[in-house]
Amino acid sequence: MSERRLSASTLRDLPPQVAKPGYDIGKVGIGIVHLGLGAFHRAHQAVLTDALLASDPRWGICGVSLKSPRTGTALKPQDGLYSVLEKSVDATTARIVGSLREMLFLGEERERLLARLAAPAVQIVSLTVTEKGYCHDPATGRLNFKHPEILHDLETPQAPVSTIGVLTAGLSARRAAGAGPITVVCCDNLPHNGRTVEGIVDAYAQAVDPSLAEWVGANVTFPCTMVDRIVPATTDSDIAEAARLLGVADAAPVVAEPFIQWVIEDRFAGARPRWEDAGAELVADVAPFETMKLRILNGSHSTLAYLGFLAGYDFIWQASADPELSTLVERLMIEEVIPTLAAPPGVDLAAYGAQIRGRFRNPALPHRTKQVAMDGSQKLPQRLLDTVRERLAAGGSIAHLALAIAGWIRYASGTDEAGQPIAVSDPLSAKFAAVARAAQGNASHIADGFLDLVQVFGDDLSRNPAFRRAVSRDVGTLFRDGVRRTLAVHVAHHRS
Ligand code: CS2
């Protein structure tokens, strides 16, 4: 017997408690092209857009997979429909999202993608390609002209493989078609994400065709955004749970916490969906929201991921429930991060931090420490290192920050406390392995090798003796005493 599958034709058979699109998906146009069809987009922007389509059907999404056809292949037989399983501590609810109206795979459908980007109805191109997807130097935010994908695309700009190459080729097609202005909405956790992507696109376009760079300057805006929702990678047990809740199979559900936030700089080149009607905040200045979120949420997330993994925890909620790790994270937020922040209008930073610690403890969300630990070289600068810079400039202590950074180095050096290899997933993993090999188990050589990575630490921190000393000491302690004892001593010693 073949399994019944979620699709436009089975939509009406779903149980009444499953929320469904309140509009005819057949009448939805494509107004948005989204690059990076991952779980985060499908649980965030696609959900907030879905909520608007009943009143304004122009804003369906064409979702583009850049690296793997997998998600599109799962969604095509489902007419783009999928479920979002929202998990709080004591309940799971399911809703069907219908905003994804077309799925494209770059490897096979480049021409269709370029045609979409050149269509006048498309007014927005948004992105979730993760930090490393921008092929930039994380310490400076500038395009890395030596990145293999960028080298490839500069040779053959008409057949690009990198996000930046694809985006710029699309903007070039748009200019050629005379389709008018467009807005690029970056939804990744980069600092000043709109400005950063604007600079990266400009550098690339200048190298390909300076007249295109000029056109982009006059016709394209890059609003900054702050995005927030915890979305663990979908597992087989999530797929089984979706089938149970829906009564039909869904090959591509996503799982998310109830919390969702999107703050967008009101800086659009043309038309835009009224995302504020779905709960997004359109503001003049995103910077205070974004810095708050990157430093408080993502900074402590990474801290829990590295130290938690080393302490033997598979999941963020387990690491958050550990008394010493939870004390460390709370002190990190209150004593070292919050003093560097200007509160956005109407926000109490201490309450914001406490709410986040509560979100991390949600045991219904199996968010792996290993998942958050990925790509640390691309994440540390905006999550922890900018905070360090401001603390040092203000003469404040960096004890908790240094331990978090040492946790990353200990993790990225590639073996756990039982001597087993750690599969470190990071664009710089080959460099990490070379540092670890050359150090031959000597902790201070390991610390030095990592702290010399200027593409992570920048020239300033890499050469700052006080910073190097603090981190090096903690790396030494982690290797000598192990993470458990290091944490116990740290928490006892830095009692507030
Ligand atoms: C996490 C983020 O994987 C990670 O690095 O810190 O994906 C985090 O869950 C989101 O930014 C929450 O909004």
Side-chain angles (χ1 to χ4, degrees):
M1 200 184 78
S2 78
E3 200 178 32
R4 282 185 6 108
R5 185 95 176 253
L6 175 63
S7 72
S9 60
T10 55
L11 204 48
R12 74 180 79 85
D13 306 334
L14 301 183
Q17 65 275 19
V18 176
K20 303 165 200 65
Y23 51 89
D24 178 352
I25 59 167
K27 300 222 167 81
V28 172
I30 302 274
I32 299 170
V33 170
H34 183 80
L35 306 181
L37 195 44
F40 181 77
H41 168 72
R42 294 194 295 120
H44 188 263
Q45 182 187 340
V47 170
L48 296 179
T49 306
D50 179 72
L52 303 173
L53 290 175
S55 56
D56 189 351
R58 285 177 298 167
W59 300 109
I61 301 170
C62 164
V64 184
S65 301
L66 299 163
K67 304 283 179 213
S68 148
R70 211 180 32 170
T71 306
T73 305
L75 287 167
K76 277 180 190 167
Q78 301 185 179
D79 303 309
L81 299 171
Y82 62 92
S83 55
V84 177
L85 310 186
E86 207 174 280
K87 296 193 166 210
S88 56
V89 179
D90 46 20
T92 299
T93 57
R95 72 182 274 184
I96 306 298
V97 170
S99 51
L100 206 52
R101 290 293 89 237
E102 182 176 50
M103 286 70 60
L104 297 179
F105 174 48
L106 175 68
E108 284 157 11
E109 290 157 308
R110 178 177 289 112
E111 293 312 314
R112 284 191 66 177
L113 167 60
L114 295 182
R116 274 290 176 212
L117 287 165
V122 169
Q123 293 284 304
I124 311 276
V125 46
S126 50
L127 302 102
T128 49
V129 294
T130 80
E131 293 86 345
K132 67 171 173 276
Y134 294 90
C135 304
H136 68 304
D137 173 14
T140 62
R142 301 221 184 88
L143 179 66
N144 174 6
F145 278 99
K146 296 198 190 109
H147 192 289
E149 290 189 357
I150 298 299
L151 289 171
H152 168 277
D153 290 359
L154 289 172
E155 282 283 304
T156 47
Q158 66 292 349
V161 294
S162 74
T163 304
I164 297 303
V166 170
L167 176 60
T168 311
L171 296 174
S172 172
R174 192 168 184 90
R175 173 178 66 162
I182 191 164
T183 304
V184 175
V185 183
C186 173
C187 297
D188 280 299
N189 289 312
L190 300 176
H192 311 295
N193 56 7
R195 292 309 165 272
T196 300
V197 176
E198 184 170 22
I200 293 170
V201 168
D202 180 63
Y204 179 86
Q206 293 285 359
V208 175
D209 171 1
S211 78
L212 176 62
E214 203 176 305
W215 183 87
V216 171
N219 291 280
V220 185
T221 60
F222 297 77
C224 286
T225 69
M226 180 266 249
V227 293
D228 192 5
R229 190 170 212 190
I230 295 176
V231 184
T234 303
T235 63
D236 288 344
S237 85
D238 299 327
I239 292 177
E241 184 171 14
R244 259 195 323 274
L245 291 166
L246 306 180
V248 296
D250 176 358
V254 290
V255 167
E257 63 172 339
F259 184 93
I260 183 164
Q261 189 176 16
W262 195 12
V263 187
I264 312 167
E265 182 183 13
D266 198 354
R267 188 162 179 258
F268 285 75
R272 67 166 177 84
R274 285 184 55 86
W275 279 310
E276 61 272 44
D277 293 347
E281 297 155 76
L282 272 290
V283 303
D285 184 12
V286 171
F289 292 92
E290 178 210 85
T291 310
M292 164 182 85
K293 192 260 173 173
L294 289 172
R295 293 188 190 174
I296 298 186
L297 188 153
N298 296 110
S300 32
H301 226 184
S302 292
T303 304
L304 286 167
Y306 300 119
L307 295 170
F309 179 93
L310 292 168
Y313 296 120
D314 286 337
F315 298 110
I316 293 289
W317 68 266
Q318 297 169 322
S320 302
D322 176 282
E324 275 142 5
L325 271 171
S326 111
T327 304
L328 172 70
V329 162
E330 183 177 353
R331 300 243 188 101
L332 171 71
M333 286 184 185
I334 292 170
E335 294 168 12
E336 297 183 0
V337 179
I338 290 178
T340 69
L341 297 172
V347 177
D348 172 336
L349 293 171
Y352 176 81
Q355 182 193 29
I356 287 167
R357 295 196 299 278
R359 290 166 59 197
F360 287 166
R361 283 194 295 268
N362 179 352
L365 277 187
H367 202 192
R368 292 195 174 271
T369 46
K370 219 165 51 189
Q371 185 186 348
V372 179
M374 276 173 66
D375 298 335
S377 68
Q378 316 291 302
K379 293 174 173 173
L380 249 62
Q382 58 275 22
R383 295 182 177 206
L384 294 166
L385 302 179
D386 284 343
T387 315
V388 167
R389 288 188 173 92
E390 290 184 28
R391 293 290 291 165
L392 291 175
S397 83
I398 56 163
H400 309 313
L401 290 155
L403 179 55
I405 296 159
W408 171 66
I409 293 176
R410 174 70 189 81
Y411 175 92
S413 73
T415 37
D416 69 14
E417 293 193 349
Q420 296 302 312
I422 301 174
V424 178
S425 175
D426 193 293
L428 297 189
S429 60
K431 282 203 164 60
F432 303 164
V435 167
R437 244 189 337 269
Q440 294 185 336
N442 179 315
S444 86
H445 292 175
I446 290 180
D448 279 338
F450 274 89
L451 290 163
D452 286 344
L453 296 169
V454 288
Q455 60 274 61
V456 177
F457 292 100
D459 282 331
D460 59 340
L461 288 182
S462 202
R463 295 210 191 111
N464 184 309
F467 173 69
R468 289 187 75 107
R469 241 189 340 267
V471 174
S472 226
R473 196 187 41 229
D474 286 340
V475 172
T477 313
L478 283 170
F479 272 102
R480 194 188 60 226
D481 299 342
V483 67
R484 293 245 62 101
R485 187 165 156 70
T486 303
L487 279 169
V489 171
H490 181 93
V491 167
H493 182 72
H494 296 280
R495 203 162 285 292
S496 48

